[in-house]
Amino acid sequence: MRTSLLRSLLAVAAVWAVSACATKPPASDAAATAEYRDNNDPLEPTNRVVYAFNDGLDTYVLAPVARAYRWALPDVVRQPIHNALLNMTTPVILINDVVQTKPRRAGDTFMRFVINTTAGVGGLFDVAAKVGYPYHDADFGETMALWGVPEGPFLFLPVFGPSNPRDAVGYGVDVAFDPLTYVPSGHGLRTFAAVRTGVAAVDARSQVLDEVDSVKKTALDPYATFRSLYRQNRESTIDKVRTEDRATVPNWYAK
Amino acid sequence: MTSTRRRMLASAVFAVASLSFAALSPAANAQDSGASGFVQGFGNKLVAVVNADSAMPAKEQQLRPLIDQAVDVDAIAKFCLGRFVNTATPAQMSEFTRLFHGVLVNNITSKIGEYRGVTFRMTDTSMRGSEAYVGTVVQRPNNAPTNVRWVVSSATGSPKIVDVVAEGTSLRLTQRSDYASFLSHNSNNLDALLAAMRRQVSTGG
């Protein structure tokens, strides 16, 4: 299932390669040119078409499902589901922490997996956060950013939404890092992996229901607003990891 | 140099520095804690209005003076118009600023107005140039905790909020790119923007 997903991503990339480009403002208009450069969106016309498609999909399918999910299940049920989903992503986060050479973050992730899988009953309860190992996310797009790989032009991917070549490739690598990608058939393991993907999508959407509603309601150009929000958020997340430099030796030793 | 040694050196430098700075720069510290106290006070008032049991229109009425008092709306409005500030006529500029007030109040009300039981706690405060970045964590029911930084400037003499940065996304930057994009798709016609804002204010959305 995941491989066919990747294949369709590649097909989309091929379509982009031959598609319309945004008209660059004349060089005489310095302010407009600076704005064009800052937006980093040379494929804007195509991206907007994909945005319209995703928006329809979201309005009529994903958002109603996420709303129903939030309506039908109380917080005390949704929170453990959310926790268990996060726990299943720990292997991918750990690999990224390690290749980002962030030992303290890798340690946090490792301890979270050990504590939450055992004391947290298979990840249902986030015990680790209460004993000093808070959650953080990490993905291969972020890892490549730390390695100095440029983001490339802004992309709006079908189904996945705002991205760029670096983050799109990073997503593919994260899927390859995920042990659940390689589950053998039989014993319902494939079904389990597929259900996890579906529930994760609904859970993720339900986490940002209010935020997305608010943007759609208040923005004059929601596409431009989502683009700006995505790029700012990515930049700040990457910056946070880059500046993280907790010592790997105990405090008493460092002093 | 390993990061451990850098760390040791850094803490030594910090120890010496804090000893001397404690005596030398009470002003910087005062500015720092002044901004954080200001945000704490504003936050408390905001949360009190939001968590109250009153209806949305009543809340909006209470929010408006609160925002006008603590937020430098004119400065944010000017920032959000970006390069179009240079081409706007004085009449367009004053109409834009007036409408921006309404839009901002609407946006804030629509973001937080429907919640009950909003809480926040203060985190760290840092200075960047003349602006103080005051950190808070906002907790809304049914939502993950959000890191919100309040950018406070004292350029007008008293502390005023000039930006709100939620999870790394700046309100004024996002708003500016929204307007810029709208204008570039409406042949840079400022009156089209004003008309759209007028619609937003009148529909409350």
Side-chain angles (χ1 to χ4, degrees):
Chain A
M1 184 214 71
R2 294 282 178 96
T3 32
S4 67
L5 210 73
L6 281 179
R7 207 170 295 144
S8 36
L9 272 184
L10 284 177
V12 167
V15 172
W16 254 300
V18 295
S19 60
C21 286
T23 15
K24 202 176 168 182
S28 54
D29 193 345
T33 308
E35 190 181 294
Y36 176 83
R37 207 181 41 237
D38 285 347
N39 286 340
N40 186 31
D41 194 2
L43 304 172
E44 186 173 336
T46 315
N47 280 338
R48 277 188 188 268
V49 173
V50 182
Y51 170 76
F53 167 77
N54 279 14
D55 188 39
L57 196 70
D58 182 64
T59 309
Y60 295 107
V61 185
L62 195 51
V65 173
R67 238 179 282 279
Y69 174 74
R70 196 164 77 165
W71 174 81
L73 299 175
D75 205 28
V76 289
V77 178
R78 277 182 289 122
Q79 193 58 50
I81 292 175
H82 179 71
N83 292 341
L85 288 166
L86 283 190
N87 198 48
M88 279 184 257
T89 63
T90 355
V92 178
I93 299 177
L94 181 60
I95 295 174
N96 279 299
D97 286 341
V98 170
V99 294
Q100 286 173 5
T101 58
K102 296 290 176 185
R104 288 299 297 271
R105 281 166 72 93
D108 282 353
T109 306
F110 180 73
M111 289 306 283
R112 284 182 60 79
F113 191 67
V114 172
I115 295 171
N116 285 346
T117 308
T118 54
V121 203
L124 289 175
F125 302 100
D126 192 353
V127 184
K130 294 194 178 74
V131 294
Y133 302 102
Y135 169 79
H136 66 258
D137 199 1
D139 59 73
F140 201 71
E142 189 181 284
T143 303
M144 284 193 285
L146 294 174
W147 290 352
V149 178
E151 60 178 327
F154 179 75
L155 290 181
F156 215 96
L157 299 179
V159 184
F160 292 93
S163 189
N164 56 52
R166 185 184 66 205
D167 291 344
V169 170
Y171 178 77
V173 175
D174 285 330
V175 170
F177 281 163
D178 189 349
L180 280 173
T181 306
Y182 305 102
V183 291
S185 56
H187 308 292
L189 282 171
R190 288 270 173 86
T191 317
F192 175 77
V195 168
R196 179 196 75 146
T197 308
V199 177
V202 175
D203 169 69
R205 184 65 184 86
S206 76
Q207 300 278 323
V208 292
L209 274 173
D210 297 337
E211 282 79 3
V212 173
D213 282 351
S214 157
V215 170
K216 284 189 181 171
K217 202 173 143 196
T218 57
L220 292 176
D221 186 346
Y223 169 82
T225 303
F226 283 125
R227 177 179 67 198
S228 173
L229 287 172
Y230 177 77
R231 297 190 58 219
Q232 287 185 59
N233 180 266
R234 277 307 270 180
E235 204 182 308
S236 99
T237 323
I238 291 162
D239 209 47
K240 211 157 134 191
V241 189
R242 186 176 285 135
T243 52
E244 138 89 59
D245 59 349
R246 282 177 287 162
T248 46
V249 290
N251 284 337
W252 55 265
Y253 183 82
K255 279 168 194 160
Chain B
M1 200 194 285
T2 64
S3 79
T4 322
R5 285 170 64 192
R6 198 160 45 214
R7 221 149 229 232
M8 286 163 66
L9 191 68
S11 42
V13 169
F14 179 71
V16 174
S18 49
L19 277 177
S20 46
F21 271 90
L24 285 177
S25 66
N29 278 334
Q31 201 178 3
D32 219 80
S33 63
S36 115
F38 167 73
V39 169
Q40 173 118 49
F42 174 65
N44 285 337
K45 283 185 227 163
L46 202 63
V47 165
V49 173
V50 170
N51 290 345
D53 266 331
S54 41
M56 282 288 269
K59 275 189 187 178
E60 201 177 309
Q61 257 179 5
Q62 285 170 293
L63 281 175
R64 187 178 274 273
L66 210 59
I67 289 166
D68 283 341
Q69 201 185 5
V71 181
D72 195 344
V73 184
D74 293 5
I76 300 177
K78 209 171 153 195
F79 181 90
C80 291
L81 201 52
R83 64 193 169 99
F84 297 94
V85 166
N86 303 322
T87 49
T89 64
Q92 281 175 327
M93 197 62 214
S94 74
E95 175 69 350
F96 174 77
T97 312
R98 187 186 71 81
L99 288 167
F100 190 81
H101 271 256
V103 170
L104 194 70
V105 172
N106 277 348
N107 285 3
I108 292 175
T109 329
S110 89
K111 275 197 181 73
I112 57 175
E114 278 151 27
Y115 293 105
R116 297 282 186 286
V118 176
T119 56
F120 74 101
R121 63 182 170 80
M122 311 292 295
T123 56
D124 58 313
T125 300
S126 58
M127 295 296 295
R128 257 183 246 174
S130 62
E131 290 174 339
Y133 281 66
V134 183
T136 61
V137 176
V138 179
Q139 181 79 58
R140 295 162 304 166
N142 276 326
N143 282 273
T146 315
N147 285 306
V148 180
R149 289 194 166 276
W150 307 79
V151 185
V152 177
S153 161
S154 297
T156 56
S158 58
K160 292 261 187 195
I161 294 164
V162 290
D163 195 10
V164 185
V165 184
E167 294 295 339
T169 57
S170 142
L171 179 138
R172 62 180 171 185
L173 270 179
T174 312
Q175 192 66 62
R176 181 162 77 173
S177 78
D178 185 32
Y179 288 161
S181 182
F182 178 89
L183 283 163
S184 75
H185 287 93
N186 286 276
S187 41
N188 293 339
N189 179 5
L190 214 50
D191 286 322
L193 176 68
L194 294 177
M197 290 171 78
R198 222 168 275 132
R199 268 197 306 279
Q200 280 191 315
V201 173
S202 65
T203 57

